[in-house]
Amino acid sequence: MSNSKPSFAGRTILSSSISKSFTEEIVKNLETITKSVKPNGKKPYLVGFLANKDPAAESYASWTQKTCEEMGFEYSLIKVPNKDFLEEKIIEANNDDDIDGIMIYFPVFGDAQDQYLKQVIKIEKDVEGLNHTYYQNMYHNVRYLDEAKELKSILPCTPLAIIKILEYLKVYNSLLPLGNRLYGKKAIIINRSEIVGRPLAALMANDGCTVYSVDVNNIQKFTRGEGLKFSKHQVEDLGANTPELLKQLSLESDIVITGVPVQSYKFPTENIKEGAVCINFSFYKNFSDDVKTKASLYVPSTGKVTICMLLRNMVRLIENNYHKKAGSKSIEQ
């Protein structure tokens, strides 16, 4: 039997193209912030801390600096050769009124100490949205930090970037009400990290999607509950991560999202449902070159959109801090 040709060839969509749709909004808001909020018209100032030699972290730092310079933000990268002094450096930045945003390029210690470092950054300067308050709000669909709804809670920037990419690709159904726009969709996420995979599964489930969350040991199902009724997401254990179960759930999924930080890992193309949307947020290429024989849309990386969301978060933090001091109404976004 001869090999049949694929029925279509999918399209590759670059994150650089997607990010352009957010750049204009951020620059416009930046101009408003600089004129109305920042003293003496100073540029918003972001500081990144690098305490490892991870190539993904170094690449992320380089792209952050480049994007900041292009969009009118001030940026400094502080390299900390001895990571045991990182906490002290973060506290110094917390207390520096000239610094508007702080981020850490993870991993640092690669263990629970990294979770602690995320909480060392002041909530008012946490541009990546990793503070426990932001996480709790995200998991419970709380969108503001105050009862007056003037102080906006922010979302972790990489999960938010992937949501924005799905919106750009029209995977979200804009005819449905907010909170329901992924209703009827199924997705599989090959990553359950606390920084990206788990919060992304929760965000998508809260928008109505059935999400299969995969880590090396097991597979979980995230749902929002029955029907269109708005509620907090629910999690169900589906059992061990076996090749058979992974294939079954993958072939049911309209969306495949990968984030495996291993150069050798490739998601099996035969496990992709024909016409699915495939997105990779790993530094490494998690899909083989033949992904487009099955996927209708393929986004090979998310980095530039992630940085846009990070800067978008920083603008919102500056606005929040202005409201706390002035008690004024929200600046137009």
Side-chain angles (χ1 to χ4, degrees):
M1 181 177 176
S2 61
N3 292 330
S4 60
K5 295 182 179 180
S7 58
F8 63 88
R11 291 180 57 202
T12 297
I13 312 294
L14 299 179
S15 63
S16 56
S17 299
I18 301 170
S19 66
K20 291 176 183 177
S21 63
F22 304 106
T23 299
E24 290 183 8
E25 172 201 349
I26 295 168
V27 170
K28 180 180 177 182
N29 293 341
L30 176 61
E31 291 174 355
T32 302
I33 288 290
T34 303
K35 291 176 182 178
S36 306
V37 179
K38 291 289 289 179
N40 303 318
K42 290 182 180 179
K43 295 179 180 178
Y45 182 24
L46 172 65
V47 170
F49 288 98
L50 183 63
N52 63 50
K53 294 185 178 179
D54 182 86
E58 292 181 344
S59 176
Y60 188 16
S62 176
W63 275 109
T64 306
Q65 180 171 357
K66 183 178 179 181
T67 306
C68 283
E69 291 172 352
E70 290 174 349
M71 296 176 64
F73 292 81
E74 186 177 353
Y75 173 82
S76 291
L77 177 65
I78 298 177
K79 295 185 178 181
V80 185
N82 187 338
K83 56 190 176 183
D84 291 320
F85 294 124
L86 179 56
E87 180 180 1
E88 180 181 333
K89 295 294 184 181
I90 295 169
I91 293 171
E92 289 178 7
N94 281 340
N95 295 328
D96 188 337
D97 291 338
D98 289 333
I99 296 173
D100 299 294
I102 301 170
M103 64 181 299
I104 304 168
Y105 295 99
F106 291 104
V108 178
F109 294 93
D111 56 18
Q113 197 163 347
D114 281 5
Q115 301 299 322
Y116 169 73
L117 286 172
K118 294 171 191 175
Q119 309 312 316
V120 174
I121 298 174
K122 287 176 66 174
I123 188 171
E124 294 86 358
K125 297 188 179 187
D126 177 19
V127 295
E128 291 196 288
L130 302 179
N131 183 277
H132 66 87
T133 298
Y134 294 138
Y135 262 61
Q136 184 177 27
N137 286 352
M138 174 193 66
Y139 283 126
H140 290 270
N141 281 301
V142 177
R143 303 194 178 191
Y144 293 91
L145 298 170
D146 63 330
E147 292 184 3
K149 296 186 177 180
E150 287 187 338
L151 307 180
K152 298 171 184 174
S153 191
I154 66 172
L155 294 170
C157 55
T158 302
L160 178 60
I162 295 170
I163 295 298
K164 294 298 182 182
I165 288 169
L166 290 169
E167 290 178 350
Y168 178 90
L169 299 177
K170 308 299 183 186
V171 177
Y172 272 69
N173 185 348
S174 61
L175 298 178
L176 292 174
L178 287 172
N180 293 326
R181 291 182 173 176
L182 285 180
Y183 182 71
K185 300 287 187 183
K186 291 184 178 180
I188 191 163
I189 302 173
I190 317 299
N191 176 290
R192 202 186 302 140
S193 68
E194 294 299 328
I195 293 179
V196 185
R198 188 186 297 275
L200 177 60
L203 286 170
M204 293 177 68
N206 285 340
D207 282 334
C209 190
T210 297
V211 182
Y212 302 118
S213 174
V214 180
D215 73 4
V216 67
N217 296 314
N218 69 348
I219 301 178
Q220 296 180 338
K221 182 168 75 170
F222 284 59
T223 58
R224 198 191 50 201
E226 295 297 324
L228 293 174
K229 186 178 180 181
F230 185 86
S231 63
K232 180 181 178 293
H233 73 277
Q234 301 172 3
V235 181
E236 175 187 352
D237 285 322
L238 298 183
N241 177 6
T242 64
E244 295 77 17
L245 181 58
L246 178 65
K247 183 172 185 178
Q248 173 195 331
L249 299 177
S250 298
L251 288 173
E252 293 177 8
S253 298
D254 309 290
I255 307 158
V256 180
I257 301 172
T258 58
V260 180
V262 177
Q263 188 170 8
S264 60
Y265 177 82
K266 293 289 184 287
F267 186 84
T269 302
E270 63 270 21
N271 288 4
I272 299 172
K273 176 182 177 180
E274 187 160 331
V277 171
C278 294
I279 300 171
N280 173 56
F281 66 84
S282 171
F283 175 72
Y284 299 105
K285 190 176 178 182
N286 284 171
F287 290 98
S288 300
D289 291 337
D290 62 353
V291 58
K292 290 187 291 180
T293 64
K294 299 292 287 293
S296 58
L297 297 171
Y298 168 49
V299 181
S301 67
T302 62
K304 293 210 74 171
V305 182
T306 295
I307 296 169
C308 279
M309 295 303 106
L310 183 147
L311 297 178
R312 183 174 180 261
N313 279 349
M314 190 160 86
V315 170
R316 290 192 169 184
L317 290 179
I318 294 170
E319 183 189 9
N320 283 353
N321 294 334
Y322 175 74
H323 292 326
K324 287 181 180 179
K325 292 176 182 178
S328 64
K329 293 183 178 180
S330 180
I331 296 169
E332 281 296 317
Q333 290 292 308

